[in-house]
Amino acid sequence: MSRSLRRGAAAALVLAAIVPLAACAAGNDASTLEIKPDNAATAIGTDVKLNNIVVVTPKGTAGEYSGAAALTVNIANTGNEPEVLTSVKIGDSAAKLTDEKGAAVQDLTLAPGQSVLLGAQGGPTASATGSALSVGGYAKTTFTFKNAGTVSADANVQPAEGYYEGYGPKAAAPSASASASASASAGASAGASAPAGATGSPSAGATASGSASAPASPSGSATAQQ
């Protein structure tokens, strides 16, 4: 072997040794490498594709968890006809659908060529309550479409942290009727706890006024006859 070939082979060996060491120094976890872990993807028929399916639990959750959870997924209608998402399930729990304004809806319609990211800020959402999940594990998700039918996929379960911050279940806003009921209850409680003297002051004044006019009557019996 010539001297130049030997030098080239030695340089290749040194480079091969350096690259793994550099990778180890950088770390192999997804956050260090800034690479999202592989997420579930599936298709139903030829026109509906679902990518990056992830179940997101509230921030700080870990291990076995039961409670509210949201779903983030990119749904694409690649067909030439409108498609309608009629229902979503997280595990065995039916998810509630909301539109871009946060109003509850029965279904979501995708126009031909349209894609929708569920769970994004300002976008439609799908969330369930009482889901029994293993954070860091996987959960079955089920999607039903009006034309394409039903498809299921096992999705990773992650807390609403890091990349998934903002994708977790949203806190439900109190309804107008609930707020009115709470206000009425608070008013009733305040009235019940008010001092007797404060509540009775107007009545006492009225009674005193009546008593003051009582002597003007000829007698108590005359007043009774009237």
Side-chain angles (χ1 to χ4, degrees), residues 143-197:
F143 304 83
T144 301
F145 295 87
K146 181 177 179 180
N147 301 319
T150 300
V151 65
S152 296
D154 289 333
N156 192 219
V157 181
Q158 292 290 331
E161 301 171 3
Y163 181 83
Y164 301 106
E165 185 174 359
Y167 287 85
K170 308 297 188 295
S175 63
S177 59
S179 300
S181 176
S183 299
S185 299
S189 299
S193 59

Side-chain angles (χ1 to χ4, degrees), residues 50-72:
L50 300 94
N51 295 300
N52 294 325
I53 309 170
V54 180
V55 176
V56 186
T57 57
K59 183 177 181 179
T61 52
E64 299 305 311
Y65 164 80
S66 180
L71 193 67
T72 177

